[in-house]
């Protein structure tokens, strides 16, 4: 666990004031830099010690076998695993031939700072070598948002008390040694040396390497060049070898003199282009960076982030820790998707190898709602990646005996990589999550070209899946049986409410698209009968309801299952999946993560206000939150049903998931969906944002712990700013055409330059705050937690 005191609470940065070697892996994740295409973990410049080295290119992976005790039809044969590609961030320092290593000598001072506005990671250290030579080291590292193939480091060293012979050694390193990969020796061997050398060269201060992945056949190029600023007399040499290259700058420095090395690194990869094409690609990217220069890259980075924060910033008064955390989260969400450009947004972004680097439904359900309202081009790019995998999804559906497309539960390149089919293949709701993201994106942006093209393709093939998967009973009701919903502690269930409601929305949206674009309907083979069948299934979708309890079972029959023995479960036995068999979990009333409660959030119009209250009260004592995806949804619905302080507690959990390492796995990378969830909890929970069918509504109310909330949204070419206090909400159209919205159900017409202020009505009386399973209540945001 990361102690709260490990980081200072600052509104625009994350600062670590002392180095804790026991937390290296966790801090490497939170200090990671990426742009969606390229990711560098926050390892120390000198490379050692490290928790987990990591340099990632989005989409670059290795194939690994998926072992089965017994073969079964339709089981995926191989998985995909993100690999650590050529490390270009390494800069080693030698002081009179002794390597700078924080484990030796005396580390007088050490500070790292991740600046959310500048988009850089800086480091300052004072170190005394075992021989007594004192030096000051500073570095600034960046991964460029404007030049997506480029990362750069500015590294400076100066002796403090007496002259010293200094050598700065900049390195490219492939196949670097990693910690053990786990119990499967085949996977460990594959990951140990995933890259095979194809080309290497060194000249002056440049090195170029090209490798190919041994199992997946992807070609990876990396190149580095340097600018060296120092007093006269520096000696520079370079060399290359199959798995690396080194450029060394050596000289004697007097106290007060500095050796400054600026390192530019370019990356590229392809599954199709030749060795020379990939080599030339990275060389061209590197040439562009050299032409821009270090100062130019910094200026471009700041301008890019100024524009982002102008449109996406969330301001809160009353809790400095949450203010920092929500900006930290937005920064990492941006890093995960900004320049992914038709690639996936993995669950850990490019900050670590957690979940094998796979993308899940998290992207569409939690990350894209944020990007759609703040960086819509990045949301469109993520959906275009899904569209690019559509042929594989159609092929997978056919293998399963279904029509349309069956998108994978977890993947990098589009193939299903889950070897456990009850949680993987059966979780068909991923199709509806993709469709929902399409609907929300088009609704928020009005992007007709996307709607007409990739959007309609995705809606059509996902609708065909539902019509094929479900069936009508004798009473005409449409059932979808044998599926797994968001709650992974219930599997292969009939009529999961979330899945059915989302499928119904999907079916109607596909029929509407066919009506909007008859030319595309003909092209896709949609006739009047098929479209009418979609609407008929949507109208007849079966939504189970337990009349005796007055609540919706999350799936048919769920409320008659035996209750889990929470009293007999110790805190050490969470997460439950690591201590109990799935067989036991599947047949009991215990919920891993919000499922029915998530349905009430995203399909709120399907429930009455009274049903939402009763459902929320019923599921709170059953939900153990063994998933980082749950807290933000529970925050939104707690706020909607009137439990604002509980919502505030859940906001804290979502926002601090990685800064406090609440799931004990931040070492493997940050939780992008939970970080996006902090925005969802604030904007959707306390701002009350809902949008559907071109109508945007707000029902803002703040908890006692917050005095003010302000945020901006991008809506069809408009930028709307919302400011909320306990007494009123202020709506300001910063740019764009007039906009009609709803404020607590009443229409408000907002014009540019004419703010609209509305009083916040008193909240309806809420019942008793529901309890959570013993030991699973969220951490209370007490006064000591949020000074400010």
């Amino acid at each position: 666990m990361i102690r709260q005191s490990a980081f200072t609470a600052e509104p625009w940065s994350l600062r670590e004031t002392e180095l804790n070697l026991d937390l290296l892996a966790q801090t490497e994740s939170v200090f990671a830099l990426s742009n969606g295409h390229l990711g560098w973990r926050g390892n120390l410049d000198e490379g050692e010690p490290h928790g987990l080295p990591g340099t990632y290119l989005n989409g670059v992976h290795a194939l690994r076998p998926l072992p089965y005790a017994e073969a079964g039809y339709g089981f995926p044969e191989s998985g995909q695993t993100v690999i650590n590609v050529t490390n270009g961030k390494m800069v080693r320092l030698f002081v009179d031939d002794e390597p700078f290593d924080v484990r030796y000598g005396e580390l007088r001072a050490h500070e790292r700072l991740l600046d959310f506005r500048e988009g850089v990671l800086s480091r300052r250290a004072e170190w005394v070598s075992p021989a007594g030579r004192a030096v000051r080291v500073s570095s600034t590292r960046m991964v460029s948002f404007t030049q997506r193939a480029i990362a750069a480091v500015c590294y400076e060293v100066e002796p403090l008390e007496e002259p010293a012979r200094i050598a700065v050694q900049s390195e490219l390193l492939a196949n670097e040694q990693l910690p053990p990969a786990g119990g499967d020796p085949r996977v460990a061997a594959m990951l140990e040396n995933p890259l095979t050398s194809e080309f290497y060269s060194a000249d002056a201060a440049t090195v170029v390497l090209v490798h190919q992945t041994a199992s997946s056949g992807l070609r990876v190029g990396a190149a580095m060049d340097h600018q060296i600023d120092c007093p006269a007399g520096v000696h520079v040499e370079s060399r290359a070898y199959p798995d690396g290259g080194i450029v060394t700058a050596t000289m004697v420095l007097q106290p007060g003199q500095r050796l400054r090395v600026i390192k530019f690194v370019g990356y590229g990869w392809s599954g199709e282009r030749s060795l020379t094409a990939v080599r030339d690609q990275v060389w061209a990217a590197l040439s562009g960076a050299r032409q821009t220069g270090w100062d130019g890259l910094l200026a471009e980075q700041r301008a890019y982030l100024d524009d982002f924060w102008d449109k996406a910033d969330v301001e809160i008064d009353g809790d400095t820790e949450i203010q920092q955390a929500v900006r930290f989260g937005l920064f990492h969400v941006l890093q995960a998707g900004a320049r992914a450009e038709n690639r996936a947004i993995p669950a850990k972004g490019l900050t670590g190898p957690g979940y094998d680097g796979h993308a899940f439904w998290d992207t569409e359900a939690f990350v894209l709602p944020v990007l759609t309202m703040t960086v819509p081009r990045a949301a469109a790019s993520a959906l275009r990646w899904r569209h690019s995998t559509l042929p594989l999804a159609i092929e997978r559906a056919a293998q399963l005996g279904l029509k349309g497309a069956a998108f994978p539960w977890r993947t990098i390149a589009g193939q299903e990589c889950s070897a456990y089919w009850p949680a993987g293949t059966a979780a068909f709701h991923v199709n509806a999550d993709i469709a929902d993201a399409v609907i929300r994106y088009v609704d928020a942006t009005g992007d007709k070209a996307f709607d007409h093209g990739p959007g309609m393709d995705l809606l059509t093939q996902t609708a065909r899946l539902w019509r094929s998967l479900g069936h009508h009973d004798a009473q005409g009701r449409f059932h979808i049986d044998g599926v797994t919903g968001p709650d992974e502690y219930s599997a292969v269930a009939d009529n999961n409410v979330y899945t059915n409601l989302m499928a119904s929305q999907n079916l109607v949206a596909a029929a509407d698209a066919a009506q909007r674009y008859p030319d595309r309907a003909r092209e896709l083979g949609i006739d009047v009968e098929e479209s009418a069948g979609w609407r008929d299934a949507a109208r007849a979708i079966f939504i189970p309801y337990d009349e005796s309890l007055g609540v919706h079972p999350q799936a048919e029959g769920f409320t008659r299952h035996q209750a889990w023995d929470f009293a007999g479960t110790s805190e050490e036995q969470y997460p439950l999946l690591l201590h109990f068999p799935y067989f036991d979990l599947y047949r009991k009333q215990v919920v891993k993560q919000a499922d029915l409660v998530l349905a009430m959030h995203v399909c709120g119009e399907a429930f009455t206000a009274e049903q939402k209250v009763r459902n929320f009260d019923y599921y709170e004592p059953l939900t153990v939150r063994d998933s980082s995806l749950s807290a933000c949804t529970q925050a939104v619905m707690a706020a909607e049903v009137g439990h604002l302080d509980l919502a505030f507690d859940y906001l804290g959990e979502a926002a601090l998931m990685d800064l406090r390492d609440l799931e004990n796995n931040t070492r493997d990378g940050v939780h992008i969906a939970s970080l996006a969830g902090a925005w969802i909890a604030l904007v959707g929970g306390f701002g009350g944002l809902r949008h559907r069918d071109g109508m945007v509504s707000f029902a803002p109310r703040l908890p006692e712990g917050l005095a003010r909330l302000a945020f901006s949204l991008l809506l069809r070419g408009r930028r709307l700013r919302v400011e909320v206090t306990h007494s009123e909400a202020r709506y300001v159209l910063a740019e764009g055409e007039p906009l009609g919205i709803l404020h607590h159900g009443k229409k408000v017409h907002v014009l540019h330059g004419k703010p609209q202020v509305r009083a916040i009505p008193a909240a309806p009386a809420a019942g008793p705050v529901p309890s959570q399973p013993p030991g699973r209540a969220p951490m209370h945001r007490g006064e000591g937690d949020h000074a400010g």
Side-chain angles (χ1 to χ4, degrees):
M1 299 290 286
I2 298 178
R3 302 185 316 273
Q4 185 177 354
S5 59
F7 305 118
T8 59
E10 303 178 26
W12 284 105
S13 61
L14 183 67
R15 186 188 305 269
E16 178 194 53
T17 56
E18 60 179 316
L19 186 65
N20 185 336
L21 297 183
D22 293 332
L23 294 176
L24 269 183
Q26 292 95 322
T27 55
E28 287 164 357
S29 294
V30 299
F31 284 135
L33 296 174
S34 69
N35 59 16
H37 171 69
L38 161 66
W40 273 0
R41 276 176 65 83
N43 306 111
L44 300 179
D45 299 288
E46 55 274 14
E48 298 176 20
H50 59 242
L52 186 63
T55 299
Y56 310 108
L57 288 171
N58 195 342
V60 175
H61 64 279
L63 299 177
R64 60 181 176 85
L66 291 177
Y68 299 97
E70 298 179 9
Y73 177 79
F75 286 4
E77 296 180 359
S78 65
Q80 299 159 359
T81 299
V82 65
I83 61 171
N84 182 32
V85 300
T86 311
N87 181 359
K89 57 184 174 286
M90 194 178 302
V91 181
R92 301 186 194 271
L93 169 65
F94 298 87
V95 180
D96 288 348
D97 299 327
E98 289 189 290
F100 170 40
D101 188 320
V102 297
R103 294 169 294 188
Y104 305 102
E106 179 190 355
L107 190 63
R108 290 179 177 173
H110 194 278
E111 179 177 285
R112 287 187 288 179
L113 181 118
L114 178 63
D115 191 311
F116 310 145
R117 289 183 291 193
E118 300 289 345
V120 298
L121 174 66
S122 59
R123 180 190 186 199
R124 304 289 182 268
E126 288 190 11
W127 178 72
V128 182
S129 74
R133 293 288 192 269
V135 294
R136 178 180 294 120
V137 178
S138 63
S139 68
T140 303
R141 178 188 299 176
M142 69 176 299
V143 172
S144 175
F145 285 116
T146 58
Q147 300 185 37
R148 73 167 193 160
I150 295 299
V153 180
C154 178
Y155 192 92
E156 295 184 355
V157 59
E158 62 174 308
L160 294 180
E161 297 159 3
E162 54 188 311
R165 182 173 299 279
I166 299 295
V168 173
Q169 196 173 74
S170 175
E171 190 167 357
L172 284 181
L173 178 62
N175 291 322
E176 63 185 313
Q177 187 174 353
L178 298 176
D184 190 334
R186 296 169 300 173
V187 175
M190 179 273 296
L191 293 178
E192 191 171 312
N193 293 288
L195 299 171
T196 301
S197 176
E198 290 191 314
F199 175 87
Y200 59 95
S201 73
D203 179 48
T206 65
V207 173
V208 182
L209 303 177
V210 180
H211 287 77
Q212 192 169 44
T213 59
S215 59
S216 53
L218 306 176
R219 186 166 280 118
V220 177
M224 67 177 179
D225 197 3
H226 303 80
Q227 293 177 357
I228 299 171
D229 180 18
C230 62
V234 67
H235 175 71
V236 179
E237 64 179 25
S238 63
R239 59 189 176 92
Y241 51 95
D243 277 348
I246 296 173
V247 173
T248 306
T250 307
M251 71 176 304
V252 175
L253 287 178
Q254 302 296 321
Q257 292 183 326
R258 294 184 183 182
L259 173 59
R260 185 183 196 225
V261 177
I262 296 173
K263 177 179 187 177
F264 302 100
V265 188
Y267 289 92
W269 74 273
S270 176
E272 298 179 352
R273 292 194 299 276
S274 67
L275 185 157
T276 55
V278 171
R279 181 198 64 195
D280 294 347
Q281 174 190 355
V282 297
W283 188 254
L286 197 59
S287 297
R290 288 198 309 263
Q291 189 273 332
T292 304
W294 173 253
D295 291 339
L297 286 173
L298 288 178
E300 289 181 356
Q301 192 86 334
R302 178 64 192 241
Y304 184 97
L305 285 165
D306 282 347
D307 181 68
F308 168 72
W309 290 117
D310 185 52
K311 296 179 173 64
D313 188 25
V314 175
E315 303 173 31
I316 61 173
D317 294 344
D319 193 317
T320 54
E321 189 181 24
I322 296 298
Q323 176 65 88
Q324 177 189 47
V326 70
R327 285 179 175 147
F328 169 82
L330 280 168
F331 182 71
H332 269 292
V333 169
L334 177 69
Q335 288 198 133
R339 300 303 303 274
E341 294 174 3
N342 304 339
R343 296 287 174 191
I345 298 178
K348 295 282 192 179
L350 299 178
T351 67
Y355 308 120
D356 283 327
H358 291 164
F360 297 76
W361 68 288
D362 311 13
T363 298
E364 286 78 17
F366 298 94
V367 181
L368 294 197
V370 180
L371 291 177
T372 293
M373 293 289 196
T374 57
V375 194
R377 65 183 179 278
S381 173
L383 289 170
R384 287 193 181 94
W385 166 72
R386 283 291 191 187
H387 182 259
S388 73
T389 68
L390 188 55
L392 292 171
I394 292 173
E395 181 181 320
R396 177 64 172 163
Q399 183 184 30
L400 299 174
L402 300 168
K403 296 180 181 178
F407 282 96
W409 172 242
R410 56 188 303 166
T411 189
I412 293 176
Q415 296 86 353
E416 178 61 74
C417 293
S418 174
Y420 184 62
W421 70 266
T425 298
F428 288 102
H429 71 83
V430 65
N431 276 42
D433 301 319
I434 294 168
D436 182 65
V438 169
I439 296 165
R440 291 178 184 274
Y441 170 76
V442 173
D443 191 43
T445 65
D447 187 342
K448 292 184 178 180
F450 182 89
D451 189 31
H452 180 267
M456 184 167 175
D457 291 341
L458 290 167
L459 291 175
T460 297
Q461 299 300 346
T462 49
R464 284 173 170 161
L465 182 283
W466 297 120
R467 192 63 186 83
S468 173
L469 183 65
H471 68 97
H472 288 279
D473 66 12
Q475 289 76 42
R477 299 175 301 184
F478 191 74
H479 297 259
I480 302 175
D481 296 332
V483 301
T484 299
D487 170 29
E488 295 157 22
Y489 286 170
S490 298
V492 198
D494 295 342
N495 294 306
N496 172 260
V497 171
Y498 174 86
T499 302
N500 283 16
L501 287 174
M502 294 284 278
S504 176
Q505 171 189 268
N506 188 169
L507 290 160
V508 171
D512 289 347
Q515 187 173 345
R516 275 197 308 278
Y517 305 117
D519 59 324
R520 290 300 325 279
R522 288 190 296 272
E523 180 184 329
L524 293 167
I526 305 169
D527 56 23
V528 174
E529 183 178 355
E530 182 175 29
S531 182
W534 292 341
R535 293 189 190 277
D536 180 55
R539 281 192 300 268
I541 203 88
F542 177 60
I543 305 300
Y545 186 74
D546 189 323
E547 296 286 353
S548 63
L549 294 174
V551 299
H552 289 83
Q554 72 175 24
E556 192 172 2
F558 178 83
T559 51
R560 65 171 176 77
H561 288 176
Q562 182 182 356
W564 183 265
D565 181 13
F566 292 107
T569 305
S570 68
E571 291 189 29
E572 291 72 27
Q573 290 177 298
Y574 291 96
L576 298 179
L577 76 163
L578 299 182
H579 299 91
F580 298 93
Y582 273 119
F583 166 73
D584 205 18
L585 296 168
Y586 288 165
R587 61 197 186 94
K588 302 286 179 62
Q589 287 193 64
V590 57
V591 180
K592 180 181 182 183
Q593 63 205 68
D595 187 306
L596 191 282
V597 173
L598 180 61
M600 294 196 298
H601 176 203
V602 296
C603 301
E605 65 283 352
F607 303 87
T608 67
E610 294 75 17
Q611 287 173 340
K612 289 178 181 178
V613 171
R614 290 196 300 272
N615 286 337
F616 187 81
D617 287 350
Y618 187 84
Y619 285 95
E620 272 293 284
L622 303 178
T623 304
V624 297
R625 297 191 324 287
D626 281 349
S627 166
S628 62
L629 302 180
S630 197
C632 67
T633 298
Q634 289 173 270
V636 171
M637 290 312 301
E640 182 171 339
V641 301
H643 302 305
L644 293 171
D645 289 339
L646 177 60
F648 192 32
D649 295 343
Y650 279 132
L651 163 65
E653 182 170 304
L656 296 169
M657 183 61 61
D658 294 305
L659 293 180
R660 292 197 183 182
D661 194 15
L662 298 180
E663 292 280 342
N664 296 301
N665 61 2
T666 296
R667 61 168 283 114
D668 298 323
V670 301
H671 298 75
I672 299 298
S674 184
L675 298 180
W679 184 97
I680 293 171
L682 283 164
V683 176
F686 301 133
L689 168 68
R690 304 289 186 272
H691 74 99
R692 183 70 67 185
D693 299 328
M695 177 53 68
V696 182
S697 64
F698 300 91
R701 285 195 178 95
L702 298 183
E704 288 299 318
L706 296 181
R708 174 179 168 271
L709 168 67
F711 55 89
S712 294
L713 304 171
L714 299 180
L715 296 161
R716 299 202 174 205
R718 306 171 179 91
R719 181 158 60 93
L720 179 69
R721 180 171 173 80
V722 182
E723 300 178 11
V724 181
T725 66
H726 284 278
S727 60
E728 64 182 29
R730 187 170 184 262
Y731 301 99
V732 181
L733 190 61
E735 59 183 271
E737 297 297 317
L739 176 66
I741 64 171
L742 294 177
H743 169 81
H744 282 282
K746 296 183 178 180
K747 291 183 179 180
V748 178
H749 197 60
V750 189
L751 294 91
H752 179 65
K754 295 184 178 181
Q756 297 294 313
V757 179
R758 295 293 185 273
I760 294 178
V769 179
S771 62
Q772 292 74 42
R776 304 306 287 172
M779 185 182 299
H780 180 56
R781 297 298 300 163
E783 289 298 325
D785 293 322
H786 51 90

